[in-house]
Every structure is written in C-alpha cells, then in structure tokens.
Amino acid sequence: MKYLFFDLEFAASPQSGKKICEFGYVLVNEKFELIERLNLLINPNIELNEWDNYVVNKILTRSYLIYLQQPSFECFFEQIKKLFKKCDYIFGYSILNDVTGINDELKRYSLPPLEYDFYDVQQIYSKNIGVDQQFSLATALDHFKIQREERLHDAETDAFHTMKVFQEILEITKLSVADLLISCSDAKDKCHDYTTDRYEYLLKHPVLIKENNNIIKNKFNRKRYSQLVDNVIPLKKGNDKLVNKKVYISVDYTNYNYVQTLNLIQLITNEAGCFVKSYKDANLYIRFPGEHLNSDDVKIDEFRKSVGPHLKAIEFNELLEILNVSIDDLNELPEESFYFLTDNFDEVEEEVVDTVSFFDLARDFRNK
C-alpha cells in the first residue's frame, strides 16, 4: 500500500491562470515509512510581468531566476503520471485548487487528461475537530503542535506537513486509513476529463463558490445584504417562534455565506423575528465557530457581561432547529428575489457590517 501526498506552488497571479512552478510530493508505505520525497522545480513559462509580485516576494522560497532555468511542465508529465499510477491513495491539503492547477497545465500543453481519486486532508481535519469550516495548514500544524520544517510554502515541505497532519488524525481517531476515509466521505473527489466531480457540482451550485458568496469582499453583495435587512417583510406565516427576538448571527458565518444569510434573514422574519446587523442591538446572539474557534465570541461575551441576561446566546445549529432547516437546505436554496428593490437601488448608501472576527485575518485566498 502506497500513499502519495503532494502540493503545488504557483507563479502567476490568479488573473493569469494557474501556472505551476513547484510540484512537491512525499510517497510513503502503509507504515508511513518514506519511499520517495522530492520537489520538482518547474519553469512556469510565463512573461516576467505575469509573475505575481506577492508570491515572488512573500511565498516562494527560491528566487524566480531558479525556476527560469528549469524545464517546463510538459517535461514532467510522464513522471507525474507514473507517480499517480503507482500509489493507492492520493492526498493534499486544500487539494482541489492543486488538482485544478494540474488540469489547467494539461490543457495548456495539449496533454491527455489524468484520471484519479484524491482526498482533501483539510476537510478531514475540519471534520475531526468538529467544525464545519476551513483551516490553513499552518493552523492545523499549530493545533497538533507539530514541529514545522523550515521552508513553509515549499511544495515538498507542505506535502510533508500534510502527511504529518493526516498521521496525527489517524493517531487521535485510532482508525485505519480506510475507515477514516469512509468516515470522511465528503473529502473524496475524482479527477477526470480535465475537471473533477466537485468542480462540476460547484458549477451547478454557484452559491458554494466562495468568491461569489462573500459579503465583506463583494461590494454588490454588501449593498444587497443591507437592503434586505432594512426592507425585509414576512413572506410566509410561521409559528412565531422568534417573536420579539432581535437576532444577530456571528460574522464567522454571515461574512462568508452571503446567499445562505439572505435566506436566514427571510426565515427569521417569517418566524416574527428581527435580524439585526449589530450585536449591540440584539437580544439573541447566534454563535458560529470560526478560524480561532468562537473568535466572534471574545468581544461579544465581554459585551454580554455588561448587559447581563439581555443578550442570550445559542449555537448556530440551535437556530437551524428553530427554523426547521439544515445546512444542506440552506446551500440548495436560491438567492432571495429582492422583491423590494427600487429604481435607485445603486444609490443606496453602503453600510459597514460588524466584523468582530479574527477569521478575516486568518483566512487567505489559497487556504494554504
């Protein structure tokens, strides 16, 4: 039995597409004894002005000149293909982005597609700490107190770190690799025909794509969010489960789940509740664990001490039970119709939403 852990580094900005400059991997046996470990340095074959300055100066552990001296991706195709074929399981951390990067390069160089199953250790980690949220590899290493190798963001080193996180999860759960993967079935995906099953699903459900579903980074979303809060009316008679409740939901959920939040606002209103944008106006606070676990709680709990029992706190799942809705239901619901919009919608003054969250600082574009 052979397990492959791999990681990529990219040279270009997102606007220029995913141009690989490192393919790092660690290949081990079922006892996690090292078989092979290597970092393939790759010439991304791009113009100098296409290099991402932030990546060059802050991420990559080598000078860009070193990459320019290397062969380009197509020269490594057969090696990568054989590597994927000779292992039984393929793992990565936030691996969908890397698999997409490989597919982009295969199409770029007119190479045949690769077909393989793969597993996301990021999702396995999140599931096994009991939080439905994404965490960086550095956060997982710190959580398990795993000693880091020096070159963080070196593809080979990050592949090794991913393996160490996976090993730690196995140790804690006392499960076999096969049983752990069965328990984390959502972490499995399949690459085929230059795409993946999960990517195809996301294309059919754009609400789940983070860039489209973010409030704080999307100005238009912020406007529509504020407009709905200010104008929402009941559309369906509920059971008055939230009568006289002024509900504030942790920004660790609302900031990154725009469409779901719009639907929650409507559902709360249907139950005679009132959604508010500031915890200082609320009498019911909905907790949601973020990057630093209850990050929104820190400041709000201090506020609750000053106002006494006025601000009650419940967990996010408790709110869903009250509304008789599940996470899956929220992900499937369409965006609100904005029945109240007027001709001068674009002139609505943009309001700043509460951002009491370390999540804003900890989350990064690549989740790496």
Side-chain angles (χ1 to χ4, degrees):
M1 195 72 70
K2 295 177 181 177
Y3 308 142
L4 173 68
F5 297 83
F6 81 89
D7 183 77
L8 305 182
E9 295 297 337
F10 299 97
S13 64
Q15 292 78 12
S16 300
K18 295 179 172 66
K19 307 300 193 298
I20 299 172
C21 62
E22 293 185 21
F23 181 103
Y25 68 91
V26 175
L27 184 66
V28 297
N29 63 19
E30 67 275 7
K31 296 181 180 179
F32 287 87
E33 296 170 335
L34 183 64
I35 298 174
E36 191 176 342
R37 175 176 173 169
L38 192 61
N39 195 354
L40 305 177
L41 302 185
I42 300 171
N43 185 338
N45 197 16
I46 58 177
E47 300 295 329
L48 288 179
N49 62 4
E50 291 184 274
W51 284 80
D52 188 309
N53 286 330
Y54 179 80
V55 169
V56 170
N57 295 314
K58 301 292 186 181
I59 302 297
L60 298 178
T61 59
R62 299 168 177 83
S63 166
Y64 76 95
L65 296 173
I66 294 177
Y67 300 102
L68 297 181
Q69 300 168 13
Q70 310 303 319
S72 52
F73 179 83
E74 75 269 28
C75 298
F76 296 98
F77 172 69
E78 288 299 329
Q79 184 176 354
I80 294 172
K81 178 181 176 181
K82 290 178 182 177
L83 183 65
F84 281 9
K85 281 190 173 182
K86 71 180 181 181
C87 61
D88 299 283
Y89 291 99
I90 297 174
F91 301 94
Y93 202 92
S94 187
I95 190 175
L96 181 59
N97 197 50
D98 291 340
V99 171
T100 302
I102 292 175
N103 287 335
D104 287 351
E105 294 287 51
L106 293 175
K107 288 185 286 186
R108 178 186 175 197
Y109 291 104
S110 301
L111 296 167
L114 297 175
E115 184 172 324
Y116 53 94
D117 294 339
F118 60 92
Y119 297 85
D120 194 340
V121 176
Q122 183 185 57
Q123 292 191 41
I124 296 171
Y125 169 72
S126 294
K127 181 176 177 62
N128 279 277
I129 63 171
V131 178
D132 185 20
Q133 200 63 265
Q134 295 181 336
F135 297 83
S136 68
L137 179 56
T139 297
L141 292 170
D142 291 343
H143 180 142
F144 290 135
K145 296 181 172 57
I146 296 172
Q147 185 174 357
R148 304 185 192 184
E149 293 192 347
E150 289 185 6
R151 287 193 168 194
L152 198 63
H153 291 302
D154 170 276
E156 177 190 341
T157 298
D158 283 357
F160 177 77
H161 286 155
T162 299
M163 181 194 72
K164 299 300 289 185
V165 169
F166 186 72
Q167 277 187 281
E168 191 66 27
I169 296 170
L170 288 171
E171 178 65 27
I172 291 172
T173 60
K174 305 300 181 185
L175 294 173
S176 67
V177 170
D179 288 340
L180 177 62
L181 297 181
I182 290 172
S183 72
C184 301
S185 58
D186 288 345
K188 182 180 181 180
D189 202 350
K190 185 179 185 64
C191 180
H192 58 88
D193 302 317
Y194 305 110
T195 188
T196 71
D197 289 347
R198 189 175 302 276
Y199 185 71
E200 290 293 302
Y201 180 79
L202 289 174
L203 288 179
K204 295 176 182 178
H205 300 79
V207 62
L208 300 179
I209 300 177
K210 292 183 179 62
E211 289 83 354
N212 297 342
N213 205 31
N214 192 299
I215 289 179
I216 59 174
K217 292 183 180 180
N218 188 313
K219 182 178 181 180
F220 192 55
N221 286 356
R222 289 199 300 272
K223 282 186 176 182
R224 289 189 287 184
Y225 164 80
S226 292
Q227 190 79 343
L228 178 61
V229 174
D230 293 341
N231 295 275
V232 64
I233 59 174
L235 295 182
K236 179 181 178 182
K237 176 61 177 174
N239 296 313
D240 294 341
K241 295 179 181 178
L242 293 172
V243 66
N244 297 324
K245 296 297 183 185
K246 296 180 179 179
V247 182
Y248 171 80
I249 301 176
S250 168
V251 294
D252 283 327
Y253 184 81
T254 59
N255 281 350
Y256 308 100
N257 295 277
Y258 162 68
V259 174
Q260 294 92 328
T261 297
L262 298 186
N263 281 295
L264 284 173
I265 292 170
Q266 186 64 64
L267 291 171
I268 289 167
T269 304
N270 291 347
E271 290 294 341
C274 174
F275 180 88
V276 294
K277 290 179 283 188
S278 172
Y279 63 88
K280 295 181 180 179
D281 298 327
N283 57 25
L284 182 61
Y285 166 50
I286 312 302
R287 299 179 187 270
F288 188 85
E291 175 80 6
H292 288 266
L293 297 184
N294 299 327
S295 60
D296 206 14
D297 291 346
V298 178
K299 187 170 183 177
I300 295 177
D301 277 348
E302 288 299 315
F303 176 74
R304 291 178 64 219
K305 290 177 183 177
S306 67
V307 298
H310 168 70
L311 181 56
K312 180 182 177 182
I314 65 173
E315 301 301 321
F316 187 77
N317 287 339
E318 294 179 73
L319 174 66
L320 298 186
E321 289 178 8
I322 292 171
L323 299 174
N324 193 29
V325 67
S326 69
I327 287 285
D328 289 339
D329 292 335
L330 287 176
N331 290 341
E332 295 291 341
L333 286 173
E335 186 172 327
E336 277 295 310
S337 63
F338 293 94
Y339 45 83
F340 50 78
L341 288 185
T342 59
D343 292 337
N344 66 342
F345 167 63
D346 287 333
E347 299 175 6
V348 174
E349 183 178 355
E350 182 179 335
E351 297 186 47
V352 178
V353 300
D354 274 320
T355 54
V356 186
S357 176
F358 296 111
F359 205 27
D360 304 342
L361 304 175
R363 182 185 286 260
D364 93 11
F365 176 74
R366 294 290 299 258
N367 287 324
K368 292 274 190 175

PDB file of all heavy atoms in Angstrom, residues 80-109:
ATOM      1  N   ILE A  80       4.968  12.562 -13.414  1.00  0.00           N
ATOM      2  CA  ILE A  80       3.799  12.778 -12.555  1.00  0.00           C
ATOM      3  C   ILE A  80       2.738  11.710 -12.819  1.00  0.00           C
ATOM      4  O   ILE A  80       2.125  11.169 -11.887  1.00  0.00           O
ATOM      5  CB  ILE A  80       3.226  14.189 -12.784  1.00  0.00           C
ATOM      6  CG1 ILE A  80       4.226  15.246 -12.309  1.00  0.00           C
ATOM      7  CG2 ILE A  80       1.891  14.356 -12.062  1.00  0.00           C
ATOM      8  CD1 ILE A  80       3.848  16.669 -12.674  1.00  0.00           C
ATOM      9  N   LYS A  81       2.537  11.375 -14.073  1.00  0.00           N
ATOM     10  CA  LYS A  81       1.566  10.344 -14.443  1.00  0.00           C
ATOM     11  C   LYS A  81       1.916   9.005 -13.799  1.00  0.00           C
ATOM     12  O   LYS A  81       1.052   8.329 -13.214  1.00  0.00           O
ATOM     13  CB  LYS A  81       1.532  10.212 -15.961  1.00  0.00           C
ATOM     14  CG  LYS A  81       0.592   9.148 -16.496  1.00  0.00           C
ATOM     15  CD  LYS A  81       0.671   9.099 -18.030  1.00  0.00           C
ATOM     16  CE  LYS A  81      -0.183   7.975 -18.586  1.00  0.00           C
ATOM     17  NZ  LYS A  81      -0.087   7.921 -20.081  1.00  0.00           N
ATOM     18  N   LYS A  82       3.185   8.603 -13.871  1.00  0.00           N
ATOM     19  CA  LYS A  82       3.623   7.341 -13.272  1.00  0.00           C
ATOM     20  C   LYS A  82       3.491   7.382 -11.757  1.00  0.00           C
ATOM     21  O   LYS A  82       3.127   6.386 -11.125  1.00  0.00           O
ATOM     22  CB  LYS A  82       5.068   7.051 -13.673  1.00  0.00           C
ATOM     23  CG  LYS A  82       5.243   6.691 -15.137  1.00  0.00           C
ATOM     24  CD  LYS A  82       6.715   6.469 -15.489  1.00  0.00           C
ATOM     25  CE  LYS A  82       6.892   6.147 -16.968  1.00  0.00           C
ATOM     26  NZ  LYS A  82       8.323   5.994 -17.333  1.00  0.00           N
ATOM     27  N   LEU A  83       3.783   8.548 -11.173  1.00  0.00           N
ATOM     28  CA  LEU A  83       3.682   8.708  -9.727  1.00  0.00           C
ATOM     29  C   LEU A  83       2.243   8.487  -9.267  1.00  0.00           C
ATOM     30  O   LEU A  83       1.984   7.781  -8.283  1.00  0.00           O
ATOM     31  CB  LEU A  83       4.161  10.102  -9.330  1.00  0.00           C
ATOM     32  CG  LEU A  83       4.200  10.439  -7.841  1.00  0.00           C
ATOM     33  CD1 LEU A  83       5.214   9.570  -7.114  1.00  0.00           C
ATOM     34  CD2 LEU A  83       4.529  11.919  -7.654  1.00  0.00           C
ATOM     35  N   PHE A  84       1.285   9.073  -9.961  1.00  0.00           N
ATOM     36  CA  PHE A  84      -0.117   8.915  -9.604  1.00  0.00           C
ATOM     37  C   PHE A  84      -0.578   7.470  -9.766  1.00  0.00           C
ATOM     38  O   PHE A  84      -1.398   6.978  -8.990  1.00  0.00           O
ATOM     39  CB  PHE A  84      -0.983   9.832 -10.463  1.00  0.00           C
ATOM     40  CG  PHE A  84      -0.999  11.277 -10.011  1.00  0.00           C
ATOM     41  CD1 PHE A  84      -0.128  11.730  -9.030  1.00  0.00           C
ATOM     42  CD2 PHE A  84      -1.867  12.181 -10.572  1.00  0.00           C
ATOM     43  CE1 PHE A  84      -0.130  13.051  -8.613  1.00  0.00           C
ATOM     44  CE2 PHE A  84      -1.899  13.511 -10.166  1.00  0.00           C
ATOM     45  CZ  PHE A  84      -1.013  13.944  -9.182  1.00  0.00           C
ATOM     46  N   LYS A  85      -0.060   6.800 -10.776  1.00  0.00           N
ATOM     47  CA  LYS A  85      -0.496   5.430 -11.057  1.00  0.00           C
ATOM     48  C   LYS A  85       0.047   4.419 -10.056  1.00  0.00           C
ATOM     49  O   LYS A  85      -0.594   3.387  -9.805  1.00  0.00           O
ATOM     50  CB  LYS A  85      -0.077   5.032 -12.477  1.00  0.00           C
ATOM     51  CG  LYS A  85      -0.979   5.597 -13.558  1.00  0.00           C
ATOM     52  CD  LYS A  85      -0.659   4.985 -14.910  1.00  0.00           C
ATOM     53  CE  LYS A  85      -1.675   5.413 -15.958  1.00  0.00           C
ATOM     54  NZ  LYS A  85      -1.417   4.780 -17.283  1.00  0.00           N
ATOM     55  N   LYS A  86       1.223   4.680  -9.483  1.00  0.00           N
ATOM     56  CA  LYS A  86       1.844   3.671  -8.623  1.00  0.00           C
ATOM     57  C   LYS A  86       1.439   3.786  -7.153  1.00  0.00           C
ATOM     58  O   LYS A  86       1.911   3.016  -6.324  1.00  0.00           O
ATOM     59  CB  LYS A  86       3.360   3.699  -8.761  1.00  0.00           C
ATOM     60  CG  LYS A  86       4.051   4.912  -8.147  1.00  0.00           C
ATOM     61  CD  LYS A  86       5.567   4.808  -8.372  1.00  0.00           C
ATOM     62  CE  LYS A  86       6.326   5.965  -7.771  1.00  0.00           C
ATOM     63  NZ  LYS A  86       7.777   5.860  -8.024  1.00  0.00           N
ATOM     64  N   CYS A  87       0.572   4.745  -6.825  1.00  0.00           N
ATOM     65  CA  CYS A  87       0.129   4.863  -5.434  1.00  0.00           C
ATOM     66  C   CYS A  87      -1.334   4.425  -5.306  1.00  0.00           C
ATOM     67  O   CYS A  87      -2.083   4.406  -6.283  1.00  0.00           O
ATOM     68  CB  CYS A  87       0.301   6.292  -4.930  1.00  0.00           C
ATOM     69  SG  CYS A  87      -0.643   7.493  -5.855  1.00  0.00           S
ATOM     70  N   ASP A  88      -1.709   4.066  -4.089  1.00  0.00           N
ATOM     71  CA  ASP A  88      -3.070   3.593  -3.832  1.00  0.00           C
ATOM     72  C   ASP A  88      -4.002   4.715  -3.396  1.00  0.00           C
ATOM     73  O   ASP A  88      -5.209   4.657  -3.644  1.00  0.00           O
ATOM     74  CB  ASP A  88      -3.034   2.500  -2.760  1.00  0.00           C
ATOM     75  CG  ASP A  88      -2.218   1.296  -3.205  1.00  0.00           C
ATOM     76  OD1 ASP A  88      -2.727   0.510  -4.010  1.00  0.00           O
ATOM     77  OD2 ASP A  88      -1.061   1.164  -2.758  1.00  0.00           O
ATOM     78  N   TYR A  89      -3.461   5.709  -2.696  1.00  0.00           N
ATOM     79  CA  TYR A  89      -4.252   6.847  -2.233  1.00  0.00           C
ATOM     80  C   TYR A  89      -3.471   8.130  -2.510  1.00  0.00           C
ATOM     81  O   TYR A  89      -2.256   8.179  -2.319  1.00  0.00           O
ATOM     82  CB  TYR A  89      -4.546   6.762  -0.731  1.00  0.00           C
ATOM     83  CG  TYR A  89      -5.491   5.645  -0.332  1.00  0.00           C
ATOM     84  CD1 TYR A  89      -5.003   4.444   0.179  1.00  0.00           C
ATOM     85  CD2 TYR A  89      -6.872   5.808  -0.441  1.00  0.00           C
ATOM     86  CE1 TYR A  89      -5.865   3.424   0.564  1.00  0.00           C
ATOM     87  CE2 TYR A  89      -7.740   4.794  -0.059  1.00  0.00           C
ATOM     88  CZ  TYR A  89      -7.240   3.605   0.441  1.00  0.00           C
ATOM     89  OH  TYR A  89      -8.092   2.607   0.810  1.00  0.00           O
ATOM     90  N   ILE A  90      -4.202   9.176  -2.908  1.00  0.00           N
ATOM     91  CA  ILE A  90      -3.596  10.481  -3.180  1.00  0.00           C
ATOM     92  C   ILE A  90      -4.229  11.504  -2.248  1.00  0.00           C
ATOM     93  O   ILE A  90      -5.456  11.609  -2.157  1.00  0.00           O
ATOM     94  CB  ILE A  90      -3.807  10.895  -4.644  1.00  0.00           C
ATOM     95  CG1 ILE A  90      -3.100   9.898  -5.576  1.00  0.00           C
ATOM     96  CG2 ILE A  90      -3.286  12.308  -4.892  1.00  0.00           C
ATOM     97  CD1 ILE A  90      -3.382  10.147  -7.054  1.00  0.00           C
ATOM     98  N   PHE A  91      -3.374  12.285  -1.565  1.00  0.00           N
ATOM     99  CA  PHE A  91      -3.834  13.271  -0.589  1.00  0.00           C
ATOM    100  C   PHE A  91      -3.208  14.640  -0.867  1.00  0.00           C
ATOM    101  O   PHE A  91      -2.114  14.742  -1.422  1.00  0.00           O
ATOM    102  CB  PHE A  91      -3.444  12.854   0.835  1.00  0.00           C
ATOM    103  CG  PHE A  91      -3.984  11.531   1.278  1.00  0.00           C
ATOM    104  CD1 PHE A  91      -3.228  10.371   1.143  1.00  0.00           C
ATOM    105  CD2 PHE A  91      -5.243  11.437   1.846  1.00  0.00           C
ATOM    106  CE1 PHE A  91      -3.706   9.142   1.568  1.00  0.00           C
ATOM    107  CE2 PHE A  91      -5.738  10.206   2.275  1.00  0.00           C
ATOM    108  CZ  PHE A  91      -4.973   9.056   2.131  1.00  0.00           C
ATOM    109  N   GLY A  92      -3.903  15.664  -0.422  1.00  0.00           N
ATOM    110  CA  GLY A  92      -3.363  17.016  -0.452  1.00  0.00           C
ATOM    111  C   GLY A  92      -4.130  17.868   0.523  1.00  0.00           C
ATOM    112  O   GLY A  92      -5.178  17.460   1.045  1.00  0.00           O
ATOM    113  N   TYR A  93      -3.646  19.077   0.765  1.00  0.00           N
ATOM    114  CA  TYR A  93      -4.324  19.997   1.682  1.00  0.00           C
ATOM    115  C   TYR A  93      -4.944  21.105   0.837  1.00  0.00           C
ATOM    116  O   TYR A  93      -4.249  21.797   0.118  1.00  0.00           O
ATOM    117  CB  TYR A  93      -3.345  20.572   2.706  1.00  0.00           C
ATOM    118  CG  TYR A  93      -4.026  21.071   3.948  1.00  0.00           C
ATOM    119  CD1 TYR A  93      -4.184  20.228   5.051  1.00  0.00           C
ATOM    120  CD2 TYR A  93      -4.543  22.362   4.028  1.00  0.00           C
ATOM    121  CE1 TYR A  93      -4.834  20.662   6.191  1.00  0.00           C
ATOM    122  CE2 TYR A  93      -5.195  22.802   5.169  1.00  0.00           C
ATOM    123  CZ  TYR A  93      -5.334  21.950   6.246  1.00  0.00           C
ATOM    124  OH  TYR A  93      -5.990  22.391   7.377  1.00  0.00           O
ATOM    125  N   SER A  94      -6.253  21.260   0.939  1.00  0.00           N
ATOM    126  CA  SER A  94      -6.998  22.139   0.031  1.00  0.00           C
ATOM    127  C   SER A  94      -6.650  21.736  -1.400  1.00  0.00           C
ATOM    128  O   SER A  94      -6.326  22.554  -2.248  1.00  0.00           O
ATOM    129  CB  SER A  94      -6.645  23.605   0.280  1.00  0.00           C
ATOM    130  OG  SER A  94      -7.468  24.458  -0.473  1.00  0.00           O
ATOM    131  N   ILE A  95      -6.747  20.458  -1.646  1.00  0.00           N
ATOM    132  CA  ILE A  95      -6.180  19.838  -2.842  1.00  0.00           C
ATOM    133  C   ILE A  95      -6.933  20.171  -4.124  1.00  0.00           C
ATOM    134  O   ILE A  95      -6.358  20.105  -5.218  1.00  0.00           O
ATOM    135  CB  ILE A  95      -6.098  18.299  -2.644  1.00  0.00           C
ATOM    136  CG1 ILE A  95      -5.285  17.644  -3.767  1.00  0.00           C
ATOM    137  CG2 ILE A  95      -7.484  17.699  -2.517  1.00  0.00           C
ATOM    138  CD1 ILE A  95      -5.071  16.152  -3.551  1.00  0.00           C
ATOM    139  N   LEU A  96      -8.193  20.556  -4.036  1.00  0.00           N
ATOM    140  CA  LEU A  96      -8.956  20.844  -5.250  1.00  0.00           C
ATOM    141  C   LEU A  96      -8.286  21.926  -6.085  1.00  0.00           C
ATOM    142  O   LEU A  96      -8.249  21.856  -7.313  1.00  0.00           O
ATOM    143  CB  LEU A  96     -10.385  21.253  -4.891  1.00  0.00           C
ATOM    144  CG  LEU A  96     -11.325  21.557  -6.065  1.00  0.00           C
ATOM    145  CD1 LEU A  96     -11.455  20.344  -6.988  1.00  0.00           C
ATOM    146  CD2 LEU A  96     -12.690  22.006  -5.570  1.00  0.00           C
ATOM    147  N   ASN A  97      -7.738  22.929  -5.423  1.00  0.00           N
ATOM    148  CA  ASN A  97      -7.055  24.016  -6.122  1.00  0.00           C
ATOM    149  C   ASN A  97      -5.845  23.492  -6.886  1.00  0.00           C
ATOM    150  O   ASN A  97      -5.560  23.914  -8.008  1.00  0.00           O
ATOM    151  CB  ASN A  97      -6.633  25.091  -5.112  1.00  0.00           C
ATOM    152  CG  ASN A  97      -6.292  26.400  -5.789  1.00  0.00           C
ATOM    153  OD1 ASN A  97      -7.055  26.909  -6.596  1.00  0.00           O
ATOM    154  ND2 ASN A  97      -5.127  26.929  -5.478  1.00  0.00           N
ATOM    155  N   ASP A  98      -5.113  22.544  -6.273  1.00  0.00           N
ATOM    156  CA  ASP A  98      -3.925  21.986  -6.916  1.00  0.00           C
ATOM    157  C   ASP A  98      -4.299  21.071  -8.075  1.00  0.00           C
ATOM    158  O   ASP A  98      -3.645  21.078  -9.123  1.00  0.00           O
ATOM    159  CB  ASP A  98      -3.083  21.224  -5.894  1.00  0.00           C
ATOM    160  CG  ASP A  98      -2.425  22.154  -4.881  1.00  0.00           C
ATOM    161  OD1 ASP A  98      -2.296  23.355  -5.176  1.00  0.00           O
ATOM    162  OD2 ASP A  98      -2.039  21.692  -3.794  1.00  0.00           O
ATOM    163  N   VAL A  99      -5.343  20.276  -7.891  1.00  0.00           N
ATOM    164  CA  VAL A  99      -5.792  19.403  -8.976  1.00  0.00           C
ATOM    165  C   VAL A  99      -6.254  20.247 -10.158  1.00  0.00           C
ATOM    166  O   VAL A  99      -5.956  19.936 -11.325  1.00  0.00           O
ATOM    167  CB  VAL A  99      -6.923  18.474  -8.488  1.00  0.00           C
ATOM    168  CG1 VAL A  99      -7.545  17.716  -9.655  1.00  0.00           C
ATOM    169  CG2 VAL A  99      -6.388  17.493  -7.450  1.00  0.00           C
ATOM    170  N   THR A 100      -6.959  21.337  -9.872  1.00  0.00           N
ATOM    171  CA  THR A 100      -7.384  22.248 -10.937  1.00  0.00           C
ATOM    172  C   THR A 100      -6.179  22.843 -11.651  1.00  0.00           C
ATOM    173  O   THR A 100      -6.182  23.003 -12.875  1.00  0.00           O
ATOM    174  CB  THR A 100      -8.262  23.376 -10.359  1.00  0.00           C
ATOM    175  OG1 THR A 100      -9.386  22.807  -9.695  1.00  0.00           O
ATOM    176  CG2 THR A 100      -8.748  24.304 -11.448  1.00  0.00           C
ATOM    177  N   GLY A 101      -5.129  23.165 -10.871  1.00  0.00           N
ATOM    178  CA  GLY A 101      -3.905  23.696 -11.465  1.00  0.00           C
ATOM    179  C   GLY A 101      -3.254  22.711 -12.418  1.00  0.00           C
ATOM    180  O   GLY A 101      -2.779  23.097 -13.495  1.00  0.00           O
ATOM    181  N   ILE A 102      -3.210  21.446 -12.048  1.00  0.00           N
ATOM    182  CA  ILE A 102      -2.653  20.417 -12.931  1.00  0.00           C
ATOM    183  C   ILE A 102      -3.494  20.303 -14.202  1.00  0.00           C
ATOM    184  O   ILE A 102      -2.962  20.235 -15.318  1.00  0.00           O
ATOM    185  CB  ILE A 102      -2.583  19.057 -12.200  1.00  0.00           C
ATOM    186  CG1 ILE A 102      -1.541  19.114 -11.077  1.00  0.00           C
ATOM    187  CG2 ILE A 102      -2.238  17.939 -13.184  1.00  0.00           C
ATOM    188  CD1 ILE A 102      -1.486  17.861 -10.227  1.00  0.00           C
ATOM    189  N   ASN A 103      -4.809  20.297 -14.039  1.00  0.00           N
ATOM    190  CA  ASN A 103      -5.682  20.207 -15.211  1.00  0.00           C
ATOM    191  C   ASN A 103      -5.489  21.389 -16.151  1.00  0.00           C
ATOM    192  O   ASN A 103      -5.517  21.236 -17.382  1.00  0.00           O
ATOM    193  CB  ASN A 103      -7.143  20.116 -14.766  1.00  0.00           C
ATOM    194  CG  ASN A 103      -7.490  18.771 -14.173  1.00  0.00           C
ATOM    195  OD1 ASN A 103      -6.857  17.763 -14.471  1.00  0.00           O
ATOM    196  ND2 ASN A 103      -8.498  18.743 -13.314  1.00  0.00           N
ATOM    197  N   ASP A 104      -5.299  22.575 -15.584  1.00  0.00           N
ATOM    198  CA  ASP A 104      -5.051  23.755 -16.418  1.00  0.00           C
ATOM    199  C   ASP A 104      -3.778  23.600 -17.233  1.00  0.00           C
ATOM    200  O   ASP A 104      -3.723  23.971 -18.412  1.00  0.00           O
ATOM    201  CB  ASP A 104      -4.955  25.005 -15.541  1.00  0.00           C
ATOM    202  CG  ASP A 104      -6.298  25.453 -14.999  1.00  0.00           C
ATOM    203  OD1 ASP A 104      -7.331  24.904 -15.439  1.00  0.00           O
ATOM    204  OD2 ASP A 104      -6.312  26.344 -14.124  1.00  0.00           O
ATOM    205  N   GLU A 105      -2.748  23.051 -16.601  1.00  0.00           N
ATOM    206  CA  GLU A 105      -1.476  22.871 -17.301  1.00  0.00           C
ATOM    207  C   GLU A 105      -1.575  21.773 -18.360  1.00  0.00           C
ATOM    208  O   GLU A 105      -0.977  21.880 -19.441  1.00  0.00           O
ATOM    209  CB  GLU A 105      -0.365  22.542 -16.302  1.00  0.00           C
ATOM    210  CG  GLU A 105      -0.028  23.664 -15.329  1.00  0.00           C
ATOM    211  CD  GLU A 105       0.724  24.816 -15.983  1.00  0.00           C
ATOM    212  OE1 GLU A 105       0.268  25.332 -17.032  1.00  0.00           O
ATOM    213  OE2 GLU A 105       1.770  25.211 -15.444  1.00  0.00           O
ATOM    214  N   LEU A 106      -2.325  20.731 -18.068  1.00  0.00           N
ATOM    215  CA  LEU A 106      -2.515  19.674 -19.059  1.00  0.00           C
ATOM    216  C   LEU A 106      -3.186  20.232 -20.318  1.00  0.00           C
ATOM    217  O   LEU A 106      -2.789  19.907 -21.443  1.00  0.00           O
ATOM    218  CB  LEU A 106      -3.369  18.543 -18.470  1.00  0.00           C
ATOM    219  CG  LEU A 106      -2.747  17.731 -17.320  1.00  0.00           C
ATOM    220  CD1 LEU A 106      -3.765  16.734 -16.770  1.00  0.00           C
ATOM    221  CD2 LEU A 106      -1.487  16.999 -17.772  1.00  0.00           C
ATOM    222  N   LYS A 107      -4.181  21.063 -20.123  1.00  0.00           N
ATOM    223  CA  LYS A 107      -4.859  21.664 -21.276  1.00  0.00           C
ATOM    224  C   LYS A 107      -3.942  22.666 -21.988  1.00  0.00           C
ATOM    225  O   LYS A 107      -3.938  22.729 -23.217  1.00  0.00           O
ATOM    226  CB  LYS A 107      -6.148  22.358 -20.804  1.00  0.00           C
ATOM    227  CG  LYS A 107      -7.243  21.385 -20.395  1.00  0.00           C
ATOM    228  CD  LYS A 107      -8.540  22.087 -20.060  1.00  0.00           C
ATOM    229  CE  LYS A 107      -8.461  22.789 -18.721  1.00  0.00           C
ATOM    230  NZ  LYS A 107      -9.775  23.360 -18.326  1.00  0.00           N
ATOM    231  N   ARG A 108      -3.192  23.402 -21.209  1.00  0.00           N
ATOM    232  CA  ARG A 108      -2.294  24.414 -21.776  1.00  0.00           C
ATOM    233  C   ARG A 108      -1.272  23.791 -22.719  1.00  0.00           C
ATOM    234  O   ARG A 108      -0.956  24.369 -23.777  1.00  0.00           O
ATOM    235  CB  ARG A 108      -1.601  25.149 -20.623  1.00  0.00           C
ATOM    236  CG  ARG A 108      -0.595  26.202 -21.021  1.00  0.00           C
ATOM    237  CD  ARG A 108       0.085  26.701 -19.756  1.00  0.00           C
ATOM    238  NE  ARG A 108       1.150  27.638 -20.030  1.00  0.00           N
ATOM    239  CZ  ARG A 108       2.094  27.957 -19.155  1.00  0.00           C
ATOM    240  NH1 ARG A 108       2.091  27.403 -17.951  1.00  0.00           N
ATOM    241  NH2 ARG A 108       3.033  28.823 -19.470  1.00  0.00           N
ATOM    242  N   TYR A 109      -0.747  22.624 -22.356  1.00  0.00           N
ATOM    243  CA  TYR A 109       0.285  21.965 -23.158  1.00  0.00           C
ATOM    244  C   TYR A 109      -0.284  20.838 -24.029  1.00  0.00           C
ATOM    245  O   TYR A 109       0.473  20.028 -24.562  1.00  0.00           O
ATOM    246  CB  TYR A 109       1.380  21.411 -22.244  1.00  0.00           C
ATOM    247  CG  TYR A 109       2.213  22.494 -21.593  1.00  0.00           C
ATOM    248  CD1 TYR A 109       2.032  22.835 -20.249  1.00  0.00           C
ATOM    249  CD2 TYR A 109       3.181  23.183 -22.317  1.00  0.00           C
ATOM    250  CE1 TYR A 109       2.795  23.822 -19.643  1.00  0.00           C
ATOM    251  CE2 TYR A 109       3.946  24.177 -21.728  1.00  0.00           C
ATOM    252  CZ  TYR A 109       3.742  24.496 -20.389  1.00  0.00           C
ATOM    253  OH  TYR A 109       4.507  25.489 -19.793  1.00  0.00           O
TER     254      TYR A 109
END
